[in-house]
Amino acid sequence: MSASKAPRAPVHGTSFARPLTSVDVVLFTVQADALQVLLVRRPDDAAEPFPGRWALPGGFVNVEVDASLLDCALRKLREKTGAITPYLEQLGSWGSATRDPRGWSATHCFYALVPAMAVALHKGARADEVNWFDADAALRKRLAFDHAELLAAALARLRGKVEYTSLPAFLIEEPFSLPALQHVYEVVLGRPVDKSAFRKRMLDGGFMEEAGMRAAEAGQLGRPAMTYRLRDRSQAALFPRTFNARGADDAG
Amino acid sequence: MSASKAPRAPVHGTSFARPLTSVDVVLFTVQADALQVLLVRRPDDAAEPFPGRWALPGGFVNVEVDASLLDCALRKLREKTGAITPYLEQLGSWGSATRDPRGWSATHCFYALVPAMAVALHKGARADEVNWFDADAALRKRLAFDHAELLAAALARLRGKVEYTSLPAFLIEEPFSLPALQHVYEVVLGRPVDKSAFRKRMLDGGFMEEAGMRAAEAGQLGRPAMTYRLRDRSQAALFPRTFNARGADDAG
DNA sequence: TAAATAGTGTCTGTAAGACAGTATACT
DNA sequence: AGTATACTGTCTTACAGACACTATTTA
């Protein structure tokens, strides 16, 4: 904590030590009845921090190619997946002297939602280098850096917002049926929701428009469902109450 | 956007150009029936960016004294005010190649809530260098950097959360009466709230404990009020619905 | 007693929860 | 017909909004 070791910098100048600046992205999807998150493996190189550990996709801001933090997050996403128009929102930032062994480091963390089928993992991607994991299982892995903390924060934020927003609509292919959307809600929340209340809430929300009856598939059983599209893919709808009248939150 | 101008850095090394890293704090209080925000004046030096403009308190992270971003935000607060235990929450981060003329810069923005009387502006502080401004008036000033955007985001977040949390309790001295707390809500929201509904919500919230009847003051009119203290100063209580059943939000 | 402020009670509207019931497809 | 899935209706409960009412203080 002593400032005497470093050479004196001009009081108002910019020539002092700068923290490392990175961006990490928590990419969520729903697949196989589970909320999943994309992880990448750190290089297996002893000179690197946390070699061989799973981590969130991300990396240092490149001041030559990234115009902004958001741009940087989109670039990281593009490098790992073919996902093009995810729902993307900032989660917060984490910075300290100790979170990266290479020095004082601050990361700007985003989270993104994509339909599983929209993601084309990069051509050369191997399953032992980039892969989807159940969110709760990923939490129990020994992730690199403080990524377990970032993931926990992203999960809390997502689950909190799902209580009172239409966010899960970004985790599903369009057009979608209401029973399919309800299933996504239940997977994310980890509990069943009442069908009648769910339908009333969604239809009254006014954020969807009808997209015709579900296309018939072979072996499809039961009455076909109406399908819907989002009116506005840039933001989620807000409902006046949370599900179950429980106060649910996110840290933001 | 070409990477060819810079010397080649090792692929996984840390010897590339690093963005400037700063922390800014939006400090709110309620005073004189208005939501106010603390601003400081940039030095009147042509070598500095935005000389003489009003700005949010903040500055570069000092990797030698700040253990973390939160530490840095607390230091910035301490340097400008004597406020000791504010409610402090991260708002988000803003970073781009253009927001600071000195180079690629990322700021981590926090917002804090304090009771007006808890703030002792620093001894040498002059009103033309550090001062409180009505939040909406401050928004219309030509603030330095992108601080108008940060302030707008902080205001939106605060007003959004006030709809469904007990945050305004951090803007008032303890112990406080329910009518006094209601007044703070009304000042922040900019609209009246119903007394009966307000009292039910606060008392049912279970986040306060009684602290005796209001001390008698000379010239005090009307029935004395019960006063309360917060049970937990570290976090706000959440209510199951928003006021007025309107969907209010923050971007986080 | 009048004025001012604190606090309560009652009615209504809205939307969620529970769950039974109806509708439309396939085999 | 039987089964599976989609969708609707009805009753109850919870709580915010409106607003009239009571309570306790000082002048």
Side-chain angles (χ1 to χ4, degrees):
Chain A
M1 286 305 191
S2 158
S4 58
K5 288 179 291 189
R8 263 289 174 247
V11 177
H12 290 298
T14 59
S15 56
F16 41 76
R18 301 180 181 190
L20 294 162
T21 300
S22 58
V23 165
D24 292 306
V25 181
V26 184
L27 180 58
F28 288 113
T29 196
V30 166
Q31 206 169 13
D33 294 348
L35 178 64
Q36 300 192 328
V37 61
L38 190 78
L39 298 179
V40 302
R41 239 152 98 86
R42 305 267 323 150
D44 223 340
D45 172 349
E48 288 283 315
F50 303 97
R53 290 272 191 93
W54 289 98
L56 297 171
F60 296 117
V61 168
N62 184 330
V63 301
E64 313 235 330
V65 306
D66 300 317
S68 66
L69 292 174
L70 192 67
D71 259 31
C72 181
L74 287 167
R75 177 171 64 85
K76 303 290 177 193
L77 269 180
R78 214 168 38 233
E79 287 171 1
K80 297 299 171 199
T81 72
I84 32 169
T85 54
Y87 174 88
L88 185 61
E89 180 184 320
Q90 200 185 28
L91 181 63
S93 54
W94 278 255
S96 75
T98 55
R99 64 177 295 277
D100 188 318
R102 291 165 294 190
W104 219 107
S105 148
T107 196
H108 303 262
C109 187
F110 290 74
Y111 75 100
L113 311 178
V114 290
M117 296 185 61
V119 179
L121 290 185
H122 198 276
K123 32 261 167 201
R126 291 166 39 185
D128 59 347
E129 293 192 334
V130 186
N131 213 344
W132 293 102
F133 295 89
D134 282 12
D136 292 302
L139 256 190
R140 289 189 301 268
K141 280 178 139 38
R142 291 179 49 228
L143 299 182
F145 305 103
D146 49 5
H147 286 191
E149 192 183 335
L150 309 200
L151 173 57
L155 264 173
R157 173 87 133 248
L158 174 62
R159 293 206 168 112
K161 283 198 128 174
V162 165
E163 298 279 355
Y164 63 97
T165 68
S166 64
L167 274 189
F170 295 103
L171 290 166
I172 196 174
E173 293 284 317
E174 290 184 274
F176 53 82
S177 69
L178 283 183
L181 183 59
Q182 180 177 350
H183 181 248
V184 175
Y185 269 86
E186 292 175 335
V187 162
V188 177
L189 291 174
R191 66 168 195 267
V193 301
D194 179 77
K195 178 171 55 171
S196 174
F198 179 81
R199 296 180 65 91
K200 271 183 284 188
R201 170 181 276 211
M202 295 302 137
L203 293 171
D204 292 354
F207 62 94
M208 309 176 305
E209 55 194 13
E210 293 192 353
M213 297 305 283
R214 182 185 59 186
E217 291 172 24
Q220 174 182 290
L221 223 45
R223 176 174 168 178
M226 175 59 70
T227 66
Y228 300 86
R229 281 181 200 285
L230 293 182
R231 278 196 213 285
D232 177 4
R233 282 200 63 84
S234 72
Q235 58 179 343
L238 297 164
F239 307 119
R241 293 199 216 171
T242 63
F243 278 113
N244 270 352
R246 298 189 310 105
D249 198 31
D250 49 274
Chain B
M1 289 307 177
S2 157
S4 59
K5 288 178 292 187
R8 264 284 173 252
V11 177
H12 290 298
T14 58
S15 56
F16 41 75
R18 302 180 181 189
L20 294 161
T21 300
S22 58
V23 166
D24 292 305
V25 181
V26 185
L27 180 58
F28 288 113
T29 196
V30 166
Q31 205 170 14
D33 293 349
L35 179 63
Q36 300 192 327
V37 61
L38 190 78
L39 298 180
V40 302
R41 239 152 99 84
R42 305 269 320 150
D44 223 340
D45 172 349
E48 288 283 316
F50 303 98
R53 290 272 191 92
W54 290 98
L56 297 172
F60 296 115
V61 167
N62 183 330
V63 300
E64 313 234 331
V65 305
D66 300 317
S68 67
L69 292 174
L70 192 67
D71 259 31
C72 181
L74 288 167
R75 176 171 65 85
K76 302 291 177 192
L77 270 181
R78 215 167 37 233
E79 287 171 1
K80 297 300 171 198
T81 73
I84 31 168
T85 54
Y87 174 88
L88 186 61
E89 180 184 321
Q90 199 185 28
L91 181 63
S93 54
W94 277 255
S96 77
T98 54
R99 62 177 297 277
D100 188 317
R102 292 166 292 190
W104 220 107
S105 149
T107 197
H108 303 263
C109 188
F110 290 75
Y111 75 101
L113 311 178
V114 290
M117 296 185 62
V119 180
L121 289 185
H122 197 276
K123 33 261 168 200
R126 290 167 38 188
D128 60 346
E129 294 192 334
V130 187
N131 214 343
W132 293 101
F133 295 90
D134 281 12
D136 292 303
L139 256 189
R140 288 190 301 269
K141 281 178 138 41
R142 292 178 48 229
L143 298 183
F145 306 103
D146 50 4
H147 286 190
E149 192 183 336
L150 309 200
L151 174 56
L155 264 173
R157 174 88 133 247
L158 174 61
R159 293 207 167 112
K161 283 198 129 176
V162 165
E163 299 278 356
Y164 63 96
T165 68
S166 64
L167 274 189
F170 296 103
L171 290 165
I172 196 174
E173 292 285 318
E174 290 183 274
F176 52 83
S177 69
L178 284 182
L181 183 59
Q182 181 177 347
H183 181 248
V184 176
Y185 269 87
E186 292 174 335
V187 162
V188 176
L189 291 173
R191 66 169 195 266
V193 302
D194 179 78
K195 178 171 55 168
S196 173
F198 178 80
R199 297 178 65 91
K200 270 183 286 189
R201 169 179 279 211
M202 295 302 137
L203 292 171
D204 292 354
F207 62 94
M208 310 177 303
E209 55 195 12
E210 293 192 353
M213 299 303 285
R214 180 184 61 188
E217 290 173 26
Q220 175 181 289
L221 220 48
R223 175 174 169 178
M226 175 59 70
T227 66
Y228 300 86
R229 282 181 199 286
L230 294 181
R231 278 196 215 283
D232 178 3
R233 283 201 63 84
S234 72
Q235 59 180 340
L238 297 163
F239 307 120
R241 291 200 216 170
T242 64
F243 279 114
N244 271 350
R246 298 188 309 106
D249 200 31
D250 48 275

